[in-house]
Amino acid sequence: MVKKVLKTAFQITIICLIYFAGNFISRLISDFIVIPGNIIGMIILLILLSTNTMKLSLIEETGNFMLKYMGFFFVPLIAGIMDSYKLIEDSIFQVLVILTVSCILVMFVSSKVTDYLIFRQKGSTND
């Protein structure tokens, strides 16, 4: 039990350190370009995992937990939007159009990337 708690705490610490590094870099470059720290943190995590600098097993259990309960993490965001509805009330149509178009675009790009990766994987297994 203690070992599992320590392992989870270690994984959360790694994820938080990457998040804080992203926020730090975001503050450093904010005079030139504004990129949210969490986006930079995800890019850092992608680079670390893609280059095998960090093994997936270091954060896999906590990452799976976060993915499983991702909807729960959006509750504060939705509550905040409901609380500040008056700010976007005049432009609700534009917001809905942007959300719809971006959702369709994300689904399209995701499907094309998935198709490409499946094709690439099948091509490498046939060699």
Side-chain angles (χ1 to χ4, degrees):
M1 179 68 179
V2 173
K3 186 176 179 181
K4 183 168 176 71
V5 169
L6 289 176
K7 183 177 181 181
T8 302
F10 178 71
Q11 291 179 359
I12 290 172
T13 301
I14 291 173
I15 292 171
C16 286
L17 286 174
I18 293 170
Y19 168 75
F20 292 137
N23 282 336
F24 178 73
I25 293 170
S26 176
R27 273 183 260 138
L28 285 179
I29 65 171
S30 64
D31 292 337
F32 308 107
I33 186 169
V34 178
I35 301 174
N38 55 346
I39 300 297
I40 295 174
M42 286 190 285
I43 292 169
I44 292 170
L45 182 61
L46 175 67
I47 291 169
L48 290 173
L49 291 171
S50 297
T51 60
N52 284 329
T53 304
M54 183 174 74
K55 299 292 181 198
L56 178 61
S57 61
L58 283 177
I59 60 166
E60 189 168 22
E61 286 181 39
T62 301
N64 287 337
F65 172 81
M66 289 179 165
L67 285 173
K68 184 176 180 182
Y69 296 105
M70 187 183 293
F72 175 74
F73 293 112
F74 283 104
V75 170
L77 174 69
I78 300 303
I81 289 173
M82 288 172 31
D83 189 41
S84 58
Y85 174 74
K86 293 288 183 191
L87 296 174
I88 62 170
E89 184 177 29
D90 295 335
S91 58
I92 192 70
F93 179 73
Q94 290 93 340
V95 170
L96 290 175
V97 168
I98 290 169
L99 288 173
T100 303
V101 170
S102 64
C103 181
I104 291 169
L105 186 63
V106 166
M107 288 189 297
F108 177 77
V109 170
S110 297
S111 68
K112 291 301 176 187
V113 168
T114 302
D115 286 344
Y116 171 75
L117 292 174
I118 290 171
F119 173 77
R120 192 172 141 200
Q121 185 179 22
K122 285 181 180 178
S124 65
T125 57
N126 291 338
D127 293 335

